[in-house]
Amino acid sequence: MTGKTRSWWGWGNVEDAVTGPEREELGRRTAELLPGADLTVHEAPPVESFGVGASRVQAPPSLAPIVSEDVRDRLAHSHGQAFRDVVRALLGQLPHVPDLVVRPTSEDQIVHVLDWCSDADIAVVPFGGGSSVVGGVEPQVGDGYAGVVSLDLTSMNQVLEVDTTSRAALVQAGLFGPHLEQQLRPHGYTLRFFPQSFEFSTLGGWLATRAGGHFATHLTHIDDLTESLQVITPAGVVTTRRLPGSGAGPSPDRLFLGSEGALGVITQAWVRLQDRPRWRAGASVGFAHHAAGVEAVRALSQSGLNPANCRLLDPMEAFLNAGSPTAVLVLGFESADHPVNAWMERALELCRDHGGTPGEPPRYTDDADRTARTGAADTWRSSFVRMPYQRDALAAQGVIVETFETACTWDRFDALRAAVDDAARDAMRQVGVEAVVTCRFTHIYPDGPAPYFGIYGAGRWGRTVEQWDEIKQAVSDVLIANGATITHHHAVGRDHRPWYDRQRPDLFASALQAGKAVLDPAGILNPRVLIDPLR
């Protein structure tokens, strides 16, 4: 990230945007997939055109050194990175802009900010990397507040302590993924947590949203890697005890994991580390029928082999990402302790039992061997990281590119897949969108998969947000009706609230509301996220 410029309206770095031959090839493939699409390129408007007004509030002089009123800074903190966020920015439609961006460098400063905002009736939206795709950082707080502050934690970005005996580290919440790994590397450790947003998201954001990492099984959720938390609330500081496990009542950590800044500001955490892996294995397996691939993945999930990567792409998803005409399973294993050849061989045997055909021979690598070559899994991983940039390029050409991620039990998957496909296609017909629907598994469990449903559609420029919202409404209704979750790892934010309200038990909502009243009595923290405002 050093030396590059973050985009204020879209994903990642300006220098890494899709241009030249990559854009030409992306356009060619899109035109082939969606022959009726108008692929005119639309550029982001100048910052000055948004007409952002002056701040409605003024920070105390003691906070002045950490406060920004810069218009570009405020615009960058006015939205996340969902498809609808990117398109609204391209259209010059960002109606909710924070009055100030505040970047504390210490917990004392956070206490000061929360005291000031509680007394002055100013809403506070905690902000990490800004990669939310559910409206979680958009300062859409409603009327009744004197102003809105975006509390950017990224100046608190250090690994404070490493406990080599317990294999854990105390880490500040504003640390971005790459910088966290850089600071752990000299100790020989890794957090082994690599979401697609890894480069542009922070530990605090992962914790506040109960994020999921890249790995398909075993310790893939940030919950599993959290030993203890420190949280600053308007009512005081909460510090939980470092423990490998405890049966002492409901877990206080679990109250704040996934709280999305509505209950307090997570400032640091003890996280569980792992030795850096040395041995890896990768392979891809083709399936003539997607259903056979689903059964193979279920067998793998219940085998106890715990693959690091187990991503099943349906034929359309495989065609878009790898040019394959059949369903493809991208399979991988890794270990810091031992070679993983036997695990891979058994996994491939299970795949063959379900009609799978491995592609090229498995690739076994040892970090001690500097000549180790890469293969399909590595190519897919590079494509995976590149996807958000390509999404932005297509969004700027009027293409709807977005996903639904969920989880369900294995017995419900077939019905869910059919219901999502029907609902999406019906909604797309109603809004006049020519599109394809894809499905891939990102995470698997013994009792069910986490499917990603992708929408690639030829929208109408100037209307793509509204068209997408109609599709999202239809599919989200189907997820809840079929016993799936509204989100597996992208949090609730403001975009998922209507369905989260239907998913959670009513009494739990009341208990959460009561907890909010105790921890945030003035109701200033991220209003409208998870629960209704106290006012």
Side-chain angles (χ1 to χ4, degrees), residues 20 23 31 49-50 153 210 244 263 265 303 340 383-384 387 390 402 409 414 452 486 489:
R23 182 151 207 165
S49 68
F50 284 85
L153 276 291
R210 291 186 68 193
L263 302 180
V265 180
S303 68
V340 289
S383 174
F384 175 70
M387 285 177 191
Q390 295 180 343
E402 191 54 291
T409 50
D414 288 341
Y452 251 72
I486 189 59
H489 59 262

Side-chain angles (χ1 to χ4, degrees), residues 113-135:
V113 170
L114 296 187
D115 286 347
W116 162 53
C117 291
S118 294
D119 292 342
D121 205 25
I122 299 169
V124 178
V125 179
F127 194 99
S131 62
S132 170
V133 292
V134 293

Side-chain angles (χ1 to χ4, degrees), residues 353-474:
D353 290 344
H354 289 85
T357 304
E360 59 188 31
R363 294 156 307 285
Y364 298 107
T365 60
D366 180 345
D367 280 0
D369 177 9
R370 296 182 180 274
T371 65
R373 63 190 179 94
T374 61
D378 304 279
T379 301
W380 181 88
R381 188 176 295 109
S382 298
S383 174
F384 175 70
V385 173
R386 195 69 185 146
M387 285 177 191
Y389 288 103
Q390 295 180 343
R391 185 278 313 266
D392 281 8
L394 291 173
Q397 294 179 268
V399 180
I400 297 173
V401 186
E402 191 54 291
T403 59
F404 301 91
E405 49 89 19
T406 186
C408 64
T409 50
W410 286 112
D411 63 307
R412 293 177 181 264
F413 172 70
D414 288 341
L416 177 69
R417 171 79 192 272
V420 166
D421 197 67
D422 288 345
R425 294 185 186 282
D426 184 59
M428 290 186 294
R429 280 194 297 269
Q430 291 187 37
V431 297
V433 172
E434 175 194 0
V436 297
V437 183
T438 69
C439 180
R440 68 181 186 270
F441 290 165
T442 59
H443 304 77
I444 58 167
Y445 306 89
D447 50 345
Y452 251 72
F453 296 100
I455 304 290
Y456 301 83
R460 181 158 57 89
W461 182 251
R463 293 285 300 166
T464 53
V465 170
E466 291 78 9
Q467 290 174 320
W468 164 248
D469 285 346
E470 290 293 324
I471 300 168
K472 181 180 179 64
Q473 169 82 41

Side-chain angles (χ1 to χ4, degrees), residues 43 145 154 196 216 334 409 465 493:
E43 302 294 341
Y145 293 93
T154 55
Q196 190 175 37
E334 66 175 35
T409 50
V465 170

Side-chain angles (χ1 to χ4, degrees), residues 486 492 496-504 508 512 530:
I486 189 59
V492 174
H496 285 159
R497 263 299 303 277
W499 300 280
Y500 174 66
D501 287 356
R502 291 161 57 184
Q503 179 175 328
R504 69 183 177 190
F508 178 77
L512 192 59
L530 294 180

Side-chain angles (χ1 to χ4, degrees), residues 321-365:
N321 286 278
S324 171
T326 64
V328 173
L329 174 62
V330 181
L331 193 59
F333 290 87
E334 66 175 35
S335 174
D337 179 72
H338 53 263
V340 289
N341 303 43
W343 282 258
M344 175 58 81
E345 293 302 324
R346 175 55 186 151
L348 292 177
E349 185 179 14
L350 281 174
C351 291
R352 292 188 189 96
D353 290 344
H354 289 85
T357 304
E360 59 188 31
R363 294 156 307 285
Y364 298 107
T365 60

